[in-house]
Amino acid sequence: MADHLARGKKLAEDKKYEEAIVAYTSALKQSPTSPQYFIERSSAYLKAGKLRESLNDTEHAVVYAKQREKRELIVTAQLRRGIALFRLDRYADAAFILSIVHKMHEKESTHAMWLKKSEDKLSAMEDGDERRNVTVQEVPMLDVKTSGGSATAGNGSVSYQVKAPPPLPQQTPIDKIRHDWYQNNEFVYFTLLAKGVPKESAKVEILERSLSISFPVAASNSDYDFTLDPLFAAVQPENSTVRVLTTKIEVILAKTVAGQKWSKLESDEPVTAGAEDSATESTSENLAKRAVFAAPAAGPVYPTSSKSGPKNWDKITDDLGKSDKKDKSGGIEDDDDYEGGDEANHFFKKLFKGSSPEVQRAMMKSYTESNGTALSTNWEEVSKAKVETTPPDGMEAKKWG
């Protein structure tokens, strides 16, 4: 099967399209419901000038890709279908299919180009031209009693059964719909346990601090609406994903602040403009800076990734204070940046502030990744790998939550 596919691709690259069609047909004999094989053969048909055969293969590819819920294959099959329709001068049908493709993958320039070409052809047509009428549906309606036609190329032929898309399971009653969620450092995984949700009618909207889901429920002749507003913390809508399956709706929310633990899905506090700005600014870098500045004045000797071994920062601070008291300046109190209070805290602030960007990155990375158990100024060493948590002697590191 893989050999037939590889041979077909090689023949197509050599522009031997008739022979490539034979190879793809052989592959379909072994896997008659493969959307990928139909897509490949439709391309060979198109380049061989067999437009109707190409369109027929793309329609089968769409049906089988839909059954497998393979989004990438659905997009590719629909694109091939739109191009075949365009080449058959069915410009309204082509524009309809290509507009669906463009909505599914807006960033792809190829989709936009073919859509523009179809729309340009439509605008140049006279009123009353039959080609201005849309005669296709998003999912082709194929006769389940037929094979969809015999695919013949050269001396090879194959017949294949076209199965109707499986019906959706009976919808879950509104009062029986439930939801569940869990999280890791980067994402919140939300699942709405609802069967039989019509994918084309489901609406899922993700904003920075809210999530809303709605879809029609035929049994009650009403819509189901679910909203989380405000969310516990900010999310990144552009990096979040949604999947509408036959048994559930899955939403993966990308956290704006990686590592932030959500205690629940929805916040009890209303979102204000100031709060949104504050949440956006709470990046891991700012958190690391505050952690460094707030380093405790006293405590055990913390490990470090430095090759010279652990540093006793308390001792260094004491020595610095003693040295300052010996000179004429009068000690640390005469430092222009000293604001009173703990001298060790002042030392860490001054050390961070006076360091190069590279040293600052090393300090933030080592302190954050080690959960406050290590502080390094050697970026060359710290940048090579994650700084592991190394608790002081006599203590044990435990995961939070």
Side-chain angles (χ1 to χ4, degrees):
M1 185 164 51
D3 292 340
H4 293 312
L5 178 64
R7 188 170 72 254
K9 289 184 176 181
K10 180 64 170 62
L11 290 167
E13 289 176 0
D14 295 338
K15 299 184 179 180
K16 298 178 181 179
Y17 303 122
E18 292 292 346
E19 295 178 49
I21 291 169
V22 174
Y24 292 137
T25 300
S26 297
L28 280 165
K29 287 181 180 179
Q30 300 179 33
S31 182
T33 61
S34 168
Q36 183 62 49
Y37 296 168
F38 276 109
I39 289 171
E40 296 293 349
R41 195 174 68 173
S42 74
S43 178
Y45 271 135
L46 187 71
K47 293 174 181 177
K50 298 183 177 182
L51 304 183
R52 294 190 183 280
E53 290 86 345
S54 176
L55 177 60
N56 185 62
D57 272 7
T58 63
E59 290 178 339
H60 287 78
V62 170
V63 170
Y64 290 130
K66 281 278 189 180
Q67 288 180 1
R68 300 187 184 194
E69 297 184 341
K70 297 290 187 179
R71 180 182 177 86
E72 184 177 348
L73 290 176
I74 293 171
V75 172
T76 303
Q78 291 284 37
L79 174 62
R80 298 289 186 188
R81 185 183 176 201
I83 294 173
L85 289 166
F86 180 89
R87 294 283 298 276
L88 286 165
D89 297 337
R90 294 168 59 178
Y91 302 123
D93 289 339
F96 173 73
I97 296 301
L98 291 167
S99 66
I100 294 173
V101 176
H102 186 57
K103 288 178 182 177
M104 295 179 72
H105 203 320
E106 294 182 353
K107 295 182 179 180
E108 176 57 56
S109 59
T110 303
H111 307 163
M113 179 194 73
W114 280 103
L115 177 59
K116 180 67 165 55
K117 291 176 69 171
S118 301
E119 291 174 341
D120 288 346
K121 288 287 187 179
L122 275 176
S123 62
M125 288 182 182
E126 296 181 359
D127 293 338
D129 193 318
E130 291 185 356
R131 292 174 297 175
R132 296 181 66 89
N133 300 324
V134 176
T135 62
V136 296
Q137 299 179 2
E138 179 178 355
V139 180
M141 299 297 293
L142 303 176
D143 188 353
V144 298
K145 296 180 181 180
T146 70
S147 65
S150 283
T152 304
N155 60 356
S157 65
V158 61
S159 295
Y160 40 86
Q161 287 284 323
V162 178
K163 298 179 181 178
L168 290 173
Q170 183 176 359
Q171 280 191 280
T172 304
I174 290 180
D175 60 343
K176 299 293 185 181
I177 295 176
R178 300 289 184 266
H179 70 270
D180 194 9
W181 72 284
Y182 65 96
Q183 65 180 309
N184 59 22
N185 285 337
E186 298 181 352
F187 299 98
V188 173
Y189 297 84
F190 174 86
T191 302
L192 190 69
L193 303 171
K195 295 181 180 179
V197 176
K199 184 180 297 187
E200 64 278 3
S201 304
K203 296 180 180 178
V204 181
E205 183 179 33
I206 303 173
L207 300 177
E208 185 180 5
R209 289 299 301 275
S210 69
L211 167 66
S212 62
I213 302 173
S214 66
F215 54 84
V217 180
S220 59
N221 195 28
S222 61
D223 287 346
Y224 174 82
D225 293 297
F226 180 89
T227 302
L228 294 171
D229 188 5
L231 290 168
F232 180 81
V235 299
Q236 306 173 57
E238 67 278 6
N239 294 326
S240 301
T241 58
V242 176
R243 294 178 65 201
V244 180
L245 306 176
T246 56
T247 58
K248 58 187 175 180
I249 296 177
E250 292 182 347
V251 182
I252 302 178
L253 301 171
K255 295 180 179 180
T256 297
V257 181
Q260 183 179 21
K261 300 296 182 182
W262 289 30
S263 59
K264 52 188 175 181
L265 282 172
E266 198 167 17
S267 174
D268 296 328
E269 301 295 330
V271 178
T272 62
E276 288 182 353
D277 293 340
S278 175
T280 303
E281 292 173 0
S282 295
T283 62
S284 57
E285 181 176 341
N286 290 336
L287 290 173
K289 285 184 178 180
R290 288 199 294 272
V292 171
F293 289 155
V301 178
Y302 288 105
T304 175
S305 60
S306 173
K307 293 181 179 179
S308 61
K311 299 180 184 295
N312 188 333
W313 294 103
D314 293 338
K315 184 177 184 303
I316 293 174
T317 305
D318 291 340
D319 292 344
L320 180 64
K322 292 176 182 178
S323 175
D324 284 340
K325 290 177 181 178
K326 292 179 181 180
D327 62 31
K328 297 180 180 180
S329 63
I332 194 172
E333 289 80 2
D334 290 336
D335 192 328
D336 292 337
D337 294 330
Y338 182 59
E339 299 175 352
D342 184 74
E343 293 183 6
N345 193 35
H346 168 71
F347 168 73
F348 279 108
K349 288 183 178 180
K350 189 171 183 179
L351 175 65
F352 186 88
K353 182 178 179 181
S355 299
S356 66
E358 188 176 81
V359 171
Q360 289 181 348
R361 286 199 302 271
M363 294 175 69
M364 287 189 291
K365 185 176 187 295
S366 61
Y367 192 92
T368 303
E369 293 182 352
S370 69
N371 294 306
T373 62
L375 185 65
S376 174
T377 57
N378 188 343
W379 174 249
E380 182 179 355
E381 181 178 342
V382 170
S383 63
K384 294 179 181 178
K386 180 181 178 181
V387 181
E388 299 297 333
T389 300
T390 310
D393 294 338
M395 301 184 72
E396 179 183 356
K398 293 185 178 181
K399 292 185 177 180
W400 182 88

